[in-house]
């Protein structure tokens, strides 16, 4: 029963090959096999958004994808955002400046949802931002500062 | 919360898919977007011993215009339906409704076929298939057949598909001439499953009387619910507010059968159905007149 399959996947530009059981979720693969613990795990049924990553450039839940399905694909996680050790991505910088996080548990998922959103909609209204955030739960902030941070990021990324 | 072990296959053609299904039978489940199946597997509500992943079958992933119909492969993502120009032009009702399905992160993976076969009474796509008179093509190792949407949905999470069949294609007729459309729903938060929703179509005849009407509801019974009697009340008539109100009253009190849930009591669901029926009928009528 414990079939193992080889997976070759590019994560944040680096190619990895591992042998995994088919039932391993992509979220667990990133965290436990690759040590990329920036991707958080909340509900494991698609609702909270903490595990959101980019799969071939589009946001997706890593808890609802098996690692074997990522074979040959490109994944981007929150670790892939900053250009180097000393600088943050403008979206991260905006979250810092506008106090867009408290405990930070939801933050990686929110960032990975907002990257494709801002790419598609570089000048969002507050309504559009709130709508785009509806797939990510935050238990701390009350969202207002997250909305402010996304607005600021849109300015910075112009 | 981790899924039970299973054996995984990722075929690249429909032929291989059907061979594998034939070989493993009931033990095997198809994996499409995984947005309904994987949560159920994580909870171990579902424990298939074999998964046949459809994501590498590129021949199942298309949206194309044909003569008077749009053909959609069962693996077309919900997100692709949302932005497709042919769908926007020829089935505006579908174009209007798709953004109500979950969140972009879910629609990027979730597929039209997966949602239809899942047959969740609260889902948008089954309602739309019924409202649009879609035809669904199923295939097994030896044969293929077309099933009308009205014969496809067979109750709570149940369809007319046989265990050895895979859904391969959805055929959507172009909107008829002089037709107006409207889709509305009410959900606790944007992207959540709705407490109530309705897909509405009105086609006018040359005298601007209602030639045909469609009213199909989500979360109003054990599958998509068509209000056949309310449609009959409207057909053949010049639509006015009084008629719209009596149709809304009839459907919300007599024709739908909502179960109530943690977010909405049965009475509240009926109230929403009444109000959404009126609003969508008015909008559909207005659009039909604009397009006359
Ligand atoms: C947080 C969240 C919110 C959601 N909100 C909504 C919502 O508001 N409205 C809504 O409609 N949906 C919602 N969904 C569900 C989503 O739309 C799913 O994507 C969809 O219902 C199932 O599609 P899938 O491609 O992911 O199918 P899967 O989960 O892969 O499969 C579903 C079922 O269909 C079977 N199947 C799949 N494809 C085929 C095929 N071609 N032939 C035969 N059998 C097949 C599978 O074996 C499985 O039993 C939500 C999901 C999540 C996680
Ligand atoms: S952990 Fe994936 S959405 Fe909650
Ligand atoms: S900052 Fe704590 S959950 Fe969002």
């Amino acid at each position: 029963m414990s079939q193992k399959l080889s997976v070759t996947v590019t994560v944040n530009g680096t190619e990895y090959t591992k042998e995994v059981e088919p039932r391993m979720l992509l979220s667990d693969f990133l965290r436990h096999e690759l040590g990329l613990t920036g991707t958080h795990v909340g509900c494991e049924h698609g609702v909270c958004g903490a595990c959101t990553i980019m799969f071939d450039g589009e946001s997706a839940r890593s808890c609802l994808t098996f690692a074997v399905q990522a074979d040959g694909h490109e994944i981007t996680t929150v670790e892939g955002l900053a250009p180097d050790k000393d600088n943050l991505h403008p979206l991260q910088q905006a979250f810092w400046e506008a106090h867009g996080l408290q405990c930070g548990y939801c933050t990686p998922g929110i960032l990975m949802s907002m990257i494709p959103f801002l790419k598609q909609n570089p000048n969002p209204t507050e309504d559009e931002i709130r709508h785009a955030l509806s797939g990510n739960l935050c238990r701390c902030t009350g969202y207002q500062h997250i909305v402010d941070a996304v607005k600021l990021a849109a300015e910075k990324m112009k | 919360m981790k899924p039970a072990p299973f054996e995984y296959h990722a075929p690249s053609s429909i032929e291989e898919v059907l061979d594998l299904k034939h070989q493993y039978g009931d033990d095997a489940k198809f994996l499409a977007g995984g947005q309904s199946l994987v949560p159920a597997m994580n909870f171990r509500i579902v424990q298939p011993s074999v998964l046949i992943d459809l994501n590498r079958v590129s021949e199942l992933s298309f949206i194309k215009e044909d003569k008077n119909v749009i053909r959609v492969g069962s693996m077309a993502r919900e997100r692709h339906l949302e932005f497709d120009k042919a769908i926007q032009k020829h089935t505006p009702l579908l174009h209007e409704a798709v953004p109500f399905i979950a969140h972009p992160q879910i629609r990027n993976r979730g597929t039209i076929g997966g949602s239809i076969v899942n047959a969740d009474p609260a889902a948008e796509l089954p309602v739309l298939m019924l409202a649009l008179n879609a035809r669904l093509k199923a295939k097994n190792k030896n044969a293929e057949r077309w099933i009308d949407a009205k014969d496809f949905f067979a109750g709570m999470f149940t369809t007319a598909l046989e265990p050895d069949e895979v859904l391969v294609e959805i055929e959507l007729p172009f909107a008829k001439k002089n037709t107006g459309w409207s889709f509305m729903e009410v959900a606790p938060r944007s992207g959540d499953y709705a407490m109530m929703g309705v897909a509405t179509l009105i086609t006018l005849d040359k005298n601007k009387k209602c030639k045909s009407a469609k009213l199909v509801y989500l979360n109003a019974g054990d599958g998509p619910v068509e209000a056949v009697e309310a449609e009959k009340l409207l057909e053949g008539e010049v639509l006015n507010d009084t008629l719209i109100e009596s149709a809304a009253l009839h459907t919300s009190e007599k024709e739908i059968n909502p179960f109530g849930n943690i977010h909405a009591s049965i009475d509240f669901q009926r109230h929403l159905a009444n109000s959404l029926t009126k609003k969508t009928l008015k909008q559909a009528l207005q659009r039909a007149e604009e397009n006359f």
Side-chain angles (χ1 to χ4, degrees):
Chain A
M1 207 35 161
S2 67
Q3 179 193 23
K4 281 217 172 184
L5 296 171
S6 168
V7 186
T8 299
V9 54
T10 303
V11 182
N12 304 328
T14 307
E15 195 179 284
Y16 300 88
T17 300
K18 294 268 175 187
E19 300 262 309
V20 298
E21 265 193 86
R23 64 168 164 162
M24 175 171 276
L25 299 172
L26 180 57
S27 43
D28 289 335
F29 178 80
L30 293 169
R31 292 174 57 82
H32 306 312
E33 295 293 318
L34 305 188
L36 296 170
T37 53
T39 299
H40 291 169
V41 170
C43 65
E44 290 192 322
H45 63 280
V47 174
C48 75
C51 70
T52 306
I53 46 108
M54 291 201 292
F55 192 102
D56 292 338
E58 295 179 89
S59 59
R61 307 295 203 221
S62 59
C63 72
L64 299 186
T65 308
F66 296 110
V68 287
Q69 296 187 274
D71 187 49
H73 290 277
E74 291 210 12
I75 306 294
T76 312
T77 68
V78 69
E79 289 92 341
L81 290 184
D84 54 57
K85 263 189 145 58
D86 302 314
N87 292 288
L88 292 173
H89 184 282
L91 179 62
Q92 293 172 308
Q93 187 66 35
F95 268 67
W96 175 306
E97 289 171 20
H99 308 288
L101 61 148
Q102 288 181 21
C103 79
Y105 203 84
C106 66
T107 315
I110 292 187
L111 298 179
M112 300 322 281
S113 300
M114 290 304 106
I115 295 270
F117 167 66
L118 288 174
K119 196 163 162 197
Q120 206 191 357
N121 188 349
N123 292 303
T125 62
E126 172 155 348
D127 257 12
E128 288 166 344
I129 294 173
R130 287 186 179 275
H131 189 69
L133 285 169
S134 68
N136 293 83
L137 294 180
C138 174
R139 297 288 80 158
C140 305
T141 62
Y143 299 101
Q144 185 55 50
H145 291 269
I146 298 180
V147 174
D148 296 345
V150 177
K151 269 191 214 156
L152 182 61
E155 288 297 315
K156 284 183 188 285
M157 289 163 72
K158 260 183 204 144
Chain B
M1 272 186 22
K2 306 293 168 195
F6 56 84
E7 190 181 311
Y8 175 80
H9 295 275
S12 54
S13 70
I14 298 177
E15 208 186 321
E16 288 170 75
V17 166
L18 296 171
D19 283 345
L20 284 164
K21 186 65 182 166
H22 184 73
Q23 183 185 341
Y24 291 106
D26 282 356
D27 292 342
K29 259 200 166 299
F30 297 119
L31 173 62
Q35 305 299 292
S36 296
L37 181 57
V38 181
M41 289 177 66
N42 286 355
F43 280 122
R44 301 207 180 186
I45 297 167
V46 182
Q47 303 192 8
S49 52
V50 177
L51 269 196
I52 304 171
D53 187 350
L54 304 177
N55 284 278
R56 299 198 192 254
V57 187
S58 52
E59 58 189 311
L60 286 177
S61 179
F62 59 85
I63 303 177
K64 59 183 185 220
E65 223 179 294
D66 205 344
K67 217 172 158 249
N68 297 321
V69 295
I70 295 174
R71 302 192 176 282
V72 184
S74 59
M75 283 301 291
R77 310 279 170 192
E78 291 159 344
R79 195 72 168 155
H80 293 157
L81 306 177
E82 189 176 347
F83 294 108
D84 189 80
K85 289 278 175 284
I87 287 179
Q88 179 173 17
K89 179 158 175 224
H90 298 300
T91 54
L93 178 69
L94 181 61
H95 176 75
E96 177 160 277
V98 172
F100 287 97
I101 305 169
H103 313 283
Q105 299 95 323
I106 309 291
R107 295 199 293 279
N108 279 335
R109 300 290 301 165
T111 65
I112 183 170
S115 177
I116 292 172
V117 176
N118 199 46
D120 185 330
E124 285 81 1
L125 285 168
V127 162
L128 292 158
M129 293 306 111
L130 205 58
L132 295 168
N133 282 326
R135 293 203 310 151
L136 309 165
K137 185 163 133 185
K139 241 181 164 165
N140 69 12
K141 197 168 152 52
N142 306 311
E144 62 176 53
R145 60 178 179 135
W146 283 97
I147 309 167
D148 289 338
K150 70 173 168 39
D151 303 321
F152 189 81
F153 299 103
M156 200 66 97
F157 299 103
T158 311
T159 72
L161 276 190
E162 295 296 336
D164 65 343
E165 284 179 316
V166 66
L167 176 63
V168 288
E169 185 181 316
I170 295 95
E171 182 189 272
L172 303 164
F174 286 3
K176 283 181 262 174
K177 268 182 67 180
N178 302 329
T179 296
W181 68 95
S182 180
F183 181 88
M184 292 185 195
E185 65 173 46
V186 179
R189 276 186 321 156
S190 77
D192 285 354
Y193 281 103
M195 299 180 279
M196 181 54 63
V198 56
T200 299
L201 290 169
I202 293 287
T203 304
L204 298 176
D205 68 12
K206 59 181 189 310
N207 302 316
K208 292 203 175 181
K209 281 184 181 163
C210 172
K211 189 171 159 194
S212 65
K214 275 272 175 203
L215 288 167
V216 189
Y217 296 80
L218 60 80
N219 223 341
D222 61 7
V225 176
E226 182 170 355
V228 188
E229 293 168 15
E231 292 169 0
K232 287 265 159 2
L233 282 176
L234 301 168
E235 283 165 9
E237 305 290 335
V238 175
L239 298 189
N240 57 34
D241 285 359
T242 321
L243 201 57
I244 286 176
E245 274 178 33
S246 47
L249 191 66
H250 185 83
T251 172
S252 58
E253 294 302 323
K254 301 249 160 60
E255 287 202 88
I256 61 168
N257 181 26
F259 305 132
N261 62 32
I262 187 169
H263 299 293
S265 66
I266 293 174
D267 279 352
F268 186 52
Q269 284 184 293
R270 290 193 190 281
H271 167 82
L272 290 175
N274 188 322
S275 149
L276 292 175
T277 305
K278 286 189 276 202
K279 283 190 179 156
T280 56
L281 278 172
K282 284 177 190 168
Q283 185 173 49
L285 180 61
Q286 193 192 342
R287 283 170 168 169
E289 283 171 345
E290 281 164 15
N291 292 338
F292 205 75

